[in-house]
Amino acid sequence: MNDGHSSSPLGAEGANSPTRTVRYSNTKATLALAKASFRSIMRSPSAVVFTLAFPLIFILVFGFLGNGGTRIDVGITPGSDINNPVVSMLGKTGMIRLVKDKSKEEFDKLLEKGNVDAMVDVHRKVNTAAYSVNVVYTSASRDKGGILKSVLNNLFYDKTLKPTVAEIKESTVTGREYKTIDFILPGQLGFSLLSTGVFGTAFVFLSLRQTLVIKRFFATPVKRSSIVIGEGIARIGFALIGALFIILIGHFFFSFTLVHGVVTVINMLLLATMGIIVFMGFGFIISGIAKSESMVPPISNIVTLPQFLLSGTFFSIEAFPTWLQPISRALPLTYLNDAMRKVAFEGMGLWDVKFQIMILLIWGIVIYAVAVKVFKWE
Amino acid sequence: MEINKAIISVKNLVKKYDDFIAVQDLSFEVYENEIFGLLGPNGAGKTTTLEIIETLRDKTSGEIIVDGLSVDKHANAIKQIIGVQLQAAGYYPNLNLIELIELFAGLYGADIKPMEMLEKVNLQDKAKAKYKALSGGQKQRFSIATTLINQPKIIFLDEPTTGLDPQARRNLWDLIVQIRDAGTTVVITTHYMDEAEQLCDRVAFVERGKIIAIDTPDNLIDQLVNSGFERKKEVKKANLEDVFINLTGKEWRE
Ligand SMILES: Nc1ncnc2c1ncn2[C@@H]1O[C@H](COP(=O)(O)OP(=O)(O)OP(=O)(O)O)[C@@H](O)[C@H]1O
Ligand SMILES: [Mg+2]
């Protein structure tokens, strides 16, 4: 290796060669950046840990805990028939706890506070073998009421007071069973998107700025928009691969419910895209206001922790004290989680969750309006 | 080198950072196909001047034309025909050299073979290494490789040899001369006068944002000698650097 470079093919280009006739392509530059950024993310341990490992650990933990997480307390109205197939069926679903032996007044109070999620009253209809079931839900526990409703739907195919129990028994109760994973997975997915969007974006842009990588980029003809879009494509791509991974693991190992199969997955990924774009906005803002890399985690935590805790990642926000609920209802992750659960478990389409999407959109507009103001290039 | 065509012309350049005047009324020309050195003490304004020509910083006033293009109006066109090595720059994290070159090829819209670029600076063996894992000299050579990707007419090298050992420095000189011989104009800054003397076709001395002398190294030395200057100590036929090179050989260091 002595003097190796002297034979290197340096000639033939430079000022004397005719100038390139190729027009400069912003798309090519953007894609080159996206590719580079994607490679870099895939090799960055923290990105992989935050996006995949954490959510998967939680899913694993809750997956193995089985249905211990969600319990629906259903009161049996005093005077109701107890020894009937409907009630015993409810008991067998595993997540419903039947509450008996309380007075009407006690039940009314519990119902009001949401300590009991619903009341069931079963009576044999006069002169028939059929049972009439009367369900009373409570607005204090809408989510769980919704779950119970689904369970009952599955038991009866039809909501209210119906039919001969013998038939129900035989009709296969294979309908949707709301499992803990159905609640936990969308929450974890949302949190994964939140952390990769916020932390990832903030770290990348701050460090590219501080290590003068961006300055070197500026010495090339690349446009600023290409840099942002290229980074965005990589981040979104990475987040979606992570999301798909989480959904598939959840589905195949922990029987996460995907009502319409592939269509549901696609809808979830579309929601994930909207979510990550909004969350990246937070990242842009943080990269602009943080003075050093050590300031990124604390500021990011201010954004992510409240959402982690209050947006229904682990617990339904209905479980929070009433004074906290308005805060929960202001956070974007709440709506992403909500939309995800509705799409995945209830089989809704994107149009059915337009309200949630609209809130995300409003957040997006606000966040990016701020980001444009505080983002720094150098 | 009689008819010199200016490829860069700087006229009355002024740069203020708030109240501080970093560059005051600077004018000079860089000729096509020469190695032009900007010399001067720390803080003289060399980097500031270069980065203004490179369209990376705004000037306060003055006029700069690069290959017929004005920095005010055609910044993007200028970026396409220059290659830039910054005094301090980083490269995208977690990527190896090949991937970094690919990235720059995309940013410049250039169609090149990454390995060939690395061969030019003798880094083919480090193709799969990360930038962070390179030695100082290798980093500088890699930076120079990134300046060549768009087959520029002019390259700017801001202290490319700072921190390098004597061989690495000499090897870099060879590389720079080759680049010039291939038809590229080179603008370089350095704090090593032996380097400027050997390498540069012309040099400009900058102090406190002003040019105090500009000529070929030969002429500048002659002028000094003619003014009656004499070195205090008689120089031996060799110096310690010659000893270093003699002892450690001339090849690239990895
Ligand atoms: N961004 C900036 N803001 C304020 N002052 C600056 C800035 N950049 C440079 N300066 C000042 O301008 C002067 C010229 O700096 P410059 O970096 O151009 O010097 P230089 O000749 O390249 O020095 P060196 O040989 O140390 O690299 C210095 O006094 C420096 O402190
Ligand atoms: Mg400098």
Side-chain angles (χ1 to χ4, degrees):
Chain A
M1 233 183 292
N2 50 353
D3 245 347
H5 72 285
S6 58
S7 59
S8 59
L10 253 184
E13 64 260 323
N16 297 336
S17 62
T19 25
R20 283 148 286 128
T21 45
V22 214
R23 272 194 61 229
Y24 184 73
S25 157
N26 288 312
T27 316
K28 211 175 146 191
T30 309
L31 292 181
L33 252 160
K35 190 174 169 189
S37 171
F38 186 77
R39 277 174 167 159
S40 183
I41 297 173
M42 290 300 279
R43 288 174 199 163
S44 133
S46 64
V48 176
V49 166
F50 269 111
T51 312
L52 290 180
F54 276 3
L56 282 179
I57 287 169
F58 280 119
I59 286 170
L60 233 73
V61 168
F62 284 97
F64 285 126
L65 275 183
N67 287 327
T70 314
R71 211 167 257 303
I72 307 172
D73 293 317
V74 177
I76 306 287
T77 310
S80 163
D81 189 328
I82 294 172
N83 299 316
N84 64 64
V86 179
V87 170
S88 60
M89 189 77 97
L90 284 178
K92 270 188 229 154
T93 56
M95 77 184 119
I96 293 175
R97 193 167 66 111
L98 296 173
V99 186
K100 304 168 194 171
D101 307 327
K102 291 215 186 329
S103 72
K104 173 108 175 51
E105 295 76 50
E106 282 175 303
F107 270 130
D108 284 349
K109 266 191 194 143
L110 290 173
L111 201 57
E112 202 174 304
K113 286 192 212 151
N115 290 353
V116 160
D117 302 298
M119 295 296 296
V120 176
D121 188 359
V122 185
H123 281 288
R124 188 188 284 270
K125 278 187 166 178
V126 200
N127 293 336
T128 55
Y131 285 94
S132 124
V133 180
N134 192 7
V135 189
V136 179
Y137 300 106
T138 166
S139 60
S141 182
R142 275 213 184 94
D143 272 16
K144 289 191 177 174
I147 300 170
L148 180 64
K149 206 181 256 179
S150 302
V151 172
L152 287 173
N153 273 347
N154 294 329
L155 288 178
F156 291 87
Y157 284 130
D158 185 31
K159 188 154 134 206
T160 33
L161 335 151
K162 223 192 150 181
T164 51
V165 175
E167 279 169 353
I168 297 159
K169 257 189 162 177
E170 276 156 18
S171 60
T172 37
V173 194
T174 49
R176 281 172 262 153
E177 178 196 351
Y178 196 86
K179 299 177 287 291
T180 314
I181 185 82
D182 291 327
F183 184 84
I184 286 298
L185 190 140
Q188 288 308 313
L189 190 54
F191 186 66
S192 156
L193 295 168
L194 179 68
S195 47
T196 187
V198 175
F199 279 88
T201 310
F203 265 122
V204 163
F205 276 94
L206 185 79
S207 83
L208 292 187
R209 184 175 87 220
Q210 289 195 331
T211 57
L212 301 179
V213 174
I214 289 197
K215 186 171 180 186
R216 180 64 184 85
F217 285 173
F218 282 169
T220 77
V222 70
K223 282 202 171 135
R224 289 177 178 202
S225 56
S226 292
I227 299 178
V228 171
I229 294 169
E231 281 294 336
I233 291 174
R235 180 77 37 197
I236 293 169
F238 176 71
L240 290 188
I241 290 174
L244 188 63
F245 193 65
I246 290 171
I247 293 172
L248 293 183
I249 293 220
H251 185 65
F252 290 109
F253 291 91
F254 301 103
S255 6
F256 174 63
T257 308
L258 293 166
V259 177
H260 303 303
V262 178
V263 176
T264 301
V265 174
I266 292 171
N267 281 341
M268 288 179 82
L269 292 182
L270 288 173
L271 284 175
T273 310
M274 298 175 209
I276 183 86
I277 291 175
V278 172
F279 299 144
M280 280 171 59
F282 287 107
F284 285 122
I285 295 177
I286 293 166
S287 83
I289 54 181
K291 298 274 182 296
S292 70
E293 283 204 15
S294 61
M295 274 177 73
V296 170
I299 307 180
S300 297
N301 281 329
I302 293 175
V303 172
T304 55
L305 264 185
Q307 305 202 58
F308 184 55
L309 297 173
L310 300 180
S311 287
T313 305
F314 289 106
F315 321 101
S316 165
I317 60 170
E318 319 284 344
F320 295 131
T322 12
W323 60 269
L324 258 180
Q325 293 194 14
I327 302 177
S328 295
R329 297 202 183 284
L331 302 172
L333 184 60
T334 305
Y335 294 90
L336 181 67
N337 283 344
D338 201 23
M340 284 280 189
R341 287 183 181 127
K342 287 200 154 66
V343 164
F345 180 67
E346 295 177 32
M348 289 189 179
L350 290 185
W351 185 245
D352 302 317
V353 291
K354 54 187 176 298
F355 172 71
Q356 284 83 351
I357 291 177
M358 193 187 71
I359 303 271
L360 283 177
L361 189 73
I362 293 172
W363 263 103
I365 293 170
V366 173
I367 287 296
Y368 277 90
V370 178
V372 167
K373 289 252 153 53
V374 303
F375 188 74
K376 284 200 207 95
W377 283 104
E378 38 204 307
Chain B
M1 289 278 225
E2 291 314 304
I3 327 138
N4 291 312
K5 193 171 157 258
I7 192 164
I8 299 173
S9 110
V10 176
K11 282 194 197 115
N12 310 109
L13 177 66
V14 176
K15 173 68 181 179
K16 290 184 189 159
Y17 295 109
D18 299 320
D19 286 341
F20 177 74
I21 305 174
V23 174
Q24 8 187 336
D25 204 25
L26 208 74
S27 300
F28 64 92
E29 288 189 333
V30 176
Y31 301 145
E32 214 163 55
N33 212 353
E34 71 174 347
I35 299 178
F36 182 85
L38 268 184
L39 314 177
N42 292 133
K46 304 180 294 295
T47 299
T48 302
T49 305
L50 283 193
E51 292 191 355
I52 292 172
I53 302 173
E54 293 156 0
T55 74
L56 294 177
R57 292 192 204 196
D58 294 326
K59 56 188 165 51
T60 307
S61 67
E63 192 195 1
I64 296 174
I65 305 291
V66 179
D67 195 36
L69 303 162
S70 150
V71 288
D72 303 311
K73 292 179 211 140
H74 307 293
N76 240 45
I78 291 177
K79 286 176 192 196
Q80 302 205 22
I81 57 155
I82 63 172
V84 173
Q85 182 200 31
L86 300 167
Q87 184 170 0
Y91 290 92
Y92 211 100
N94 299 326
L95 300 185
N96 66 37
L97 301 192
I98 290 275
E99 292 163 343
L100 284 173
I101 300 268
E102 279 174 7
L103 168 60
F104 276 101
L107 295 180
Y108 280 111
D111 204 8
I112 44 109
K113 295 207 173 63
M115 204 58 186
E116 282 177 12
M117 299 308 302
L118 292 181
E119 278 164 13
K120 286 183 188 191
V121 294
N122 205 44
L123 280 176
Q124 61 275 32
D125 296 341
K126 294 281 172 185
K128 293 271 183 250
K130 305 273 159 67
Y131 177 77
K132 266 191 194 164
L134 300 181
S135 77
Q138 292 165 343
K139 281 182 177 155
Q140 297 291 20
R141 277 184 292 167
F142 178 74
S143 291
I144 293 180
T146 69
T147 69
L148 299 174
I149 289 172
N150 56 334
Q151 303 182 4
K153 292 185 179 177
I154 311 164
I155 62 170
F156 296 87
L157 308 174
D158 201 349
E159 297 192 23
T161 58
T162 295
L164 302 195
D165 71 44
Q167 280 100 343
R169 227 148 59 83
R170 277 171 175 67
N171 288 317
L172 219 49
W173 298 352
D174 291 347
L175 177 63
I176 292 167
V177 167
Q178 281 179 57
I179 292 169
R180 191 264 322 268
D181 291 347
T184 308
T185 307
V186 180
V187 180
I188 187 171
T189 74
T190 178
H191 290 296
Y192 303 110
M193 292 308 117
D194 60 328
E195 179 168 302
E197 188 180 335
Q198 290 227 8
L199 197 57
C200 295
D201 299 308
R202 289 190 316 133
V203 295
F205 282 89
V206 187
E207 197 186 20
R208 284 174 226 215
K210 285 186 177 158
I211 295 216
I212 48 176
I214 180 165
D215 211 331
T216 63
D218 245 13
N219 288 349
L220 289 166
I221 294 168
D222 288 347
Q223 279 166 30
L224 183 65
V225 173
N226 292 343
S227 72
F229 175 89
E230 264 181 58
R231 276 203 183 170
K232 287 206 185 81
K233 197 172 111 190
E234 188 57 44
V235 188
K236 294 181 187 166
K237 288 214 169 103
N239 63 17
L240 194 57
E241 187 156 321
D242 297 321
V243 175
F244 185 107
I245 300 215
N246 210 276
L247 287 175
T248 56
K250 229 195 140 191
E251 70 274 15
W252 290 102
R253 292 278 154 151
E254 299 307 338

